[in-house]
Amino acid sequence: MIPIFSVALIFLAALGLITASQWRTRLAWLVAQGLAAFLLISQYWPWNAAAAAPLTLWGAAVILGLTLSRRQILLEDSTLSGFQRAFGSLATLFISLFLLSISYLQPDFLPGGNPLTLAGGLIALGNALIRFGLRETLFDHVLSLLSLINGFMILYAAIETSLLVNLLLSALTLGIALVGSYFLTRATEERNA
Amino acid sequence: MTAPLLWIFLPALLALFLLILPARIRYGSSVAAALTLAGLAWKMPVDSVISLGGLQFKIAPIFPFLGREFLLSDTARPLLVTSYLLLAAWLFGAWLLGQNDRFPAFGLGIQALWIGAWAIRPFLYAILLITAATLLTVVFFSLFRPAPGAGLLRLLILQTLALPAMLFTGWLLEGVAAAPAENTTALTALLLLGSSLALLLPAFPFHIWLGQLAEEIPPYLLAFWLAVFPTGTLVFFLGFPEQFAWLRQNPASSSWLTTLGFITLLFASIQAAWQRNAARLLAWVGLAANGVLLLSLGSGVPQAAILLLLPRHFALLAIGFGLNQLASASSDTSLPALQGIGYRFPLALMLIIAGIFTLAGLPLFIAFPPYLAIWEKLTAAGILQSAAFGIGLAGLVIGALRLLAVSLLVKQKPVWQFQQRFLVLFWSLTMLLLLVLPGLYPAWLQTLVESLLRLFPHLTNT
């Protein structure tokens, strides 16, 4: 039951990240994806090690949230038209269904043969790739990168339990959030100048 | 004391320390640090007892770290010497050009991460350190514009995409190593490995950020990136065929590398031939050189790829150093803005032209012997391949000649003048000699090249 809920949450997060206009809403969906990742990863790792993935993603969301709220940062216009929303939703739906079916066709791709873990990771990863093309603002690119690495952490948890890899992936997640935060600050400084 | 502590962790710490040093002594300190690290690598054997006065000690090759390890054996010393000497050269050039004073810290940090990437075991984890190096680069490059440009953002995205592909590849390769012929996942592993290589180098079609980035950062720093990252990527990727015998013998990997190499070379060559911006010309020349590296691997002469590591650095160092002087003196790097500039900066122009000619594999230059080896292999494979290689290299020569023509052909001939400082002139002449002399006397570099080849004994049959 928990894996099904997690995959559904990842799909909803992907849908939210592609259709929401408010930055707070998009960050909330990223946090939701982190929760789903934790539920999937905890099938393979002890819960304290599995907590690294969501905690770093939430840390990244906090870094971006604080940057956006405290510094009066002007985000580029990210309002979507009705058509763009519909297209984004349909793209997310089709991509997710396609990846879900692949996961059931090739369940042995990951050790242990759990198609739902494969589906969860692939949906997060695939939709992050789609968003690079569909949402073009700097903030969205940073969110997509974070989402992509988190999706990958779900898949990789099933095949590798190295502490070093876990640590480095977490450090990279936080590094990308810091770079994104720095970029957003500089972009605003330029617009205000 | 362990070798990884000395040549990875110490430089990383020094990089942090450089950030808090006063700006005026950062360049001097970093050049001295890089030269010291190179000297230590040259003189101090790893895993042997060293006597220093009455003191006896041994540098261990392995440093365990969080359940994994960093390994720098004695065979890696030539690579360490070369890497830190080249870093010192890049930093010295940047010092003369008056580049941003954070370059020493970032340069040393990036180099430490690359050496860490080569040393980490299992070696597929290197991609995590390579991505960290990319993050450092992105932060450093963002200092040159009020807001991050599209090129920089694309660099970050595309280089990060290589991370999942690479880690999956490593896992798949371990699975297929036992029975490659019967295993269908071998094809998946090959595809992922190829995609990672194309993303990291970069090769066609993942090069889209190169041209944009060329207009966002100083040419010298773009040249630094084009020299350090693709060569680092190559050394890392050569570890795969070195370790997995089936990968060396797989015909699919050879044909894939050759095809990608040709597409990349021809695309870059066409862009270079018609380019109207000198900074972008540097980007396309770098991309073409990546195509040549892929061709050398695909056509079965990996030795040529290793032989090209040094000439590639020298050529890009020369182009970057020359182009940066022109860019500083002119309002922008478009060809119309550079008209007649060759009369004011003749040596800088010579450096650019000599650098491009080197990467085009012209005779008498340092890169000629490995290019000749690739050409021989391609000619044996078919006249069409040989012609395509020739056309690809000709595009680079056309691009260089167009730049030369624009820089010198003006209606009213100005008076020749040298507007460079003595040290800049000295360094320019040194680089010109580095591009030409080893081409005339290739035996000079033989010892170094042979020791670099020994890093990959299975691949190079040494």
Side-chain angles (χ1 to χ4, degrees):
Chain A
M1 193 64 196
I2 287 177
I4 295 174
F5 168 74
S6 307
V7 173
L9 192 56
I10 288 174
F11 168 70
L12 288 175
L15 209 56
L17 281 165
I18 210 161
T19 54
S21 296
Q22 294 289 319
W23 63 264
R24 285 186 179 83
T25 320
R26 276 178 278 167
L27 278 183
W29 281 120
L30 190 72
V31 168
Q33 185 185 316
L35 176 68
F38 169 70
L39 294 174
L40 286 173
I41 294 172
S42 58
Q43 296 177 95
Y44 300 93
W45 290 2
W47 70 270
N48 50 354
L55 282 179
T56 45
L57 193 66
W58 295 341
V62 167
I63 291 169
L64 290 171
L66 283 175
T67 311
L68 291 171
S69 60
R70 288 202 179 172
R71 294 229 178 180
Q72 301 294 312
I73 282 178
L74 298 167
L75 278 180
E76 297 147 276
D77 185 22
S78 58
T79 315
L80 298 173
S81 66
F83 174 75
Q84 283 172 317
R85 265 178 224 273
F87 183 76
S89 307
L90 274 177
T92 306
L93 180 69
F94 285 131
I95 286 289
S96 303
L97 283 175
F98 173 68
L99 294 172
L100 189 68
S101 56
I102 281 188
S103 309
Y104 275 93
L105 284 172
Q106 295 281 335
D108 295 329
F109 183 76
L110 292 180
N114 187 342
L116 283 170
T117 308
L118 185 60
L122 284 179
I123 289 172
L125 215 147
N127 282 298
L129 284 176
I130 290 289
R131 282 199 300 279
F132 281 125
L134 292 181
R135 301 205 68 155
E136 292 176 352
T137 66
L138 172 61
F139 179 60
D140 286 303
H141 284 332
V142 176
L143 289 186
S144 300
L145 272 179
L146 292 171
S147 184
L148 181 130
I149 290 190
N150 188 253
F152 171 71
M153 283 172 96
I154 297 172
L155 295 175
Y156 210 58
I159 53 179
E160 177 68 65
T161 52
S162 158
L163 190 63
L164 178 64
V165 175
N166 207 2
L167 177 89
L168 287 173
L169 281 172
S170 300
L172 286 178
T173 304
L174 289 176
I176 287 170
L178 284 170
V179 169
S181 157
Y182 174 66
F183 277 7
L184 285 167
T185 311
R186 286 189 66 113
T188 305
E189 278 170 3
E190 192 213 10
R191 246 173 281 153
N192 291 344
Chain B
M1 175 65 78
T2 66
L5 267 183
L6 191 57
W7 286 295
I8 300 169
F9 291 91
L10 180 66
L13 275 177
L14 280 174
L16 287 176
F17 182 64
L18 279 171
L19 282 176
I20 55 168
L21 275 184
R24 66 178 188 285
I25 56 169
R26 282 183 197 164
Y27 270 109
S29 314
S30 61
V31 172
L35 287 175
T36 310
L37 288 164
L40 288 175
W42 188 17
K43 286 289 173 194
M44 288 169 66
V46 177
D47 214 14
S48 309
V49 177
I50 302 166
S51 298
L52 205 69
L55 192 69
Q56 282 197 331
F57 62 96
K58 194 167 137 178
I59 298 181
I62 293 173
F63 178 70
F65 188 72
L66 292 174
R68 296 292 179 267
E69 60 190 29
F70 288 91
L71 168 73
L72 282 176
S73 62
D74 204 53
T75 48
R77 277 173 53 221
L79 190 64
L80 293 173
V81 175
T82 315
S83 301
Y84 280 113
L85 272 182
L86 287 170
L87 178 68
W90 279 103
L91 290 171
F92 184 67
W95 192 7
L96 294 179
L97 291 171
Q99 288 290 328
N100 188 298
D101 56 30
R102 288 178 198 149
F103 183 48
F106 279 93
L108 202 58
I110 288 166
Q111 188 68 70
L113 281 169
W114 268 110
I115 291 177
W118 297 330
I120 196 166
R121 297 291 180 273
F123 76 105
L124 63 102
Y125 294 153
I127 188 68
L128 294 158
L129 297 173
I130 296 172
T131 313
T134 300
L135 279 183
L136 267 191
T137 314
V138 165
V139 171
F140 177 55
F141 284 175
S142 73
L143 299 174
F144 297 92
R145 273 171 65 101
L152 194 58
L153 208 56
R154 286 180 179 177
L155 160 72
L156 174 66
I157 292 168
L158 288 169
Q159 296 274 303
T160 310
L161 284 184
L163 170 81
M166 198 65 252
L167 283 175
F168 266 128
T169 307
W171 171 65
L172 288 172
L173 282 175
E174 280 171 12
V176 297
E182 297 158 19
N183 206 326
T184 48
T185 48
L187 185 65
T188 319
L190 214 55
L191 274 173
L192 279 173
L193 185 67
S195 310
S196 320
L197 180 61
L199 280 163
L200 281 176
L201 266 179
F204 185 89
F206 301 118
H207 66 278
I208 47 167
W209 51 270
L210 255 181
Q212 288 169 319
L213 189 70
E215 295 189 39
E216 292 171 12
I217 59 170
Y220 190 76
L221 297 178
L222 180 68
F224 173 75
W225 193 96
L226 286 168
V228 171
F229 277 72
T231 48
T233 301
L234 182 82
V235 172
F236 166 56
F237 267 83
L238 286 176
F240 286 94
E242 174 64 24
Q243 188 166 332
F244 302 103
W246 70 269
L247 211 53
R248 288 198 293 277
Q249 293 143 4
N250 193 321
S253 62
S254 302
S255 60
W256 185 89
L257 284 167
T258 311
T259 310
L260 188 65
F262 271 125
I263 295 174
T264 305
L265 174 64
L266 289 171
F267 179 85
S269 162
I270 292 166
Q271 293 280 354
W274 301 108
Q275 193 45 245
R276 290 178 57 81
N277 185 308
R280 280 180 173 255
L281 177 64
L282 164 64
W284 302 129
V285 168
L287 184 66
N290 290 350
V292 175
L293 286 182
L294 290 170
L295 275 175
S296 68
L297 297 178
S299 56
V301 266
Q303 297 89 339
I306 298 165
L307 288 179
L308 276 173
L309 293 181
L310 217 52
R312 187 190 161 100
H313 259 284
F314 289 165
L316 286 166
L317 185 60
I319 301 172
F321 193 73
L323 198 53
N324 215 90
Q325 291 175 59
L326 302 193
S328 305
S330 168
S331 54
D332 63 69
T333 50
S334 66
L335 292 194
L338 295 177
Q339 275 196 344
I341 205 161
Y343 288 92
R344 286 193 288 150
F345 295 91
L347 217 49
L349 187 64
M350 275 174 74
L351 276 179
I352 301 170
I353 303 301
I356 299 178
F357 281 0
T358 303
L359 291 177
L362 293 194
L364 301 184
F365 288 97
I366 181 174
F368 179 63
Y371 272 69
L372 189 63
I374 300 170
W375 213 319
E376 277 173 2
K377 276 278 180 184
L378 290 174
T379 310
I383 191 70
L384 204 62
Q385 296 198 10
S386 178
F389 189 58
I391 291 168
L393 299 181
L396 302 187
V397 177
I398 292 170
L401 292 178
R402 284 186 70 223
L403 176 65
L404 185 68
V406 168
S407 309
L408 293 179
L409 295 179
V410 281
K411 282 178 185 165
Q412 282 187 324
K413 267 195 178 172
V415 183
W416 285 95
Q417 48 184 307
F418 286 87
Q419 289 194 350
Q420 292 129 315
R421 288 182 295 137
F422 170 74
L423 264 178
V424 175
L425 288 175
F426 161 76
W427 189 235
S428 305
L429 283 171
T430 310
M431 275 187 284
L432 273 178
L433 290 177
L434 280 176
L435 290 180
V436 178
L437 281 184
L440 295 173
Y441 304 102
W444 285 4
L445 290 175
Q446 196 175 349
T447 316
L448 177 66
V449 164
E450 279 173 359
S451 53
L452 285 176
L453 289 176
R454 275 196 291 274
L455 283 170
F456 307 98
H458 296 112
L459 202 59
T460 57
N461 299 320
T462 48

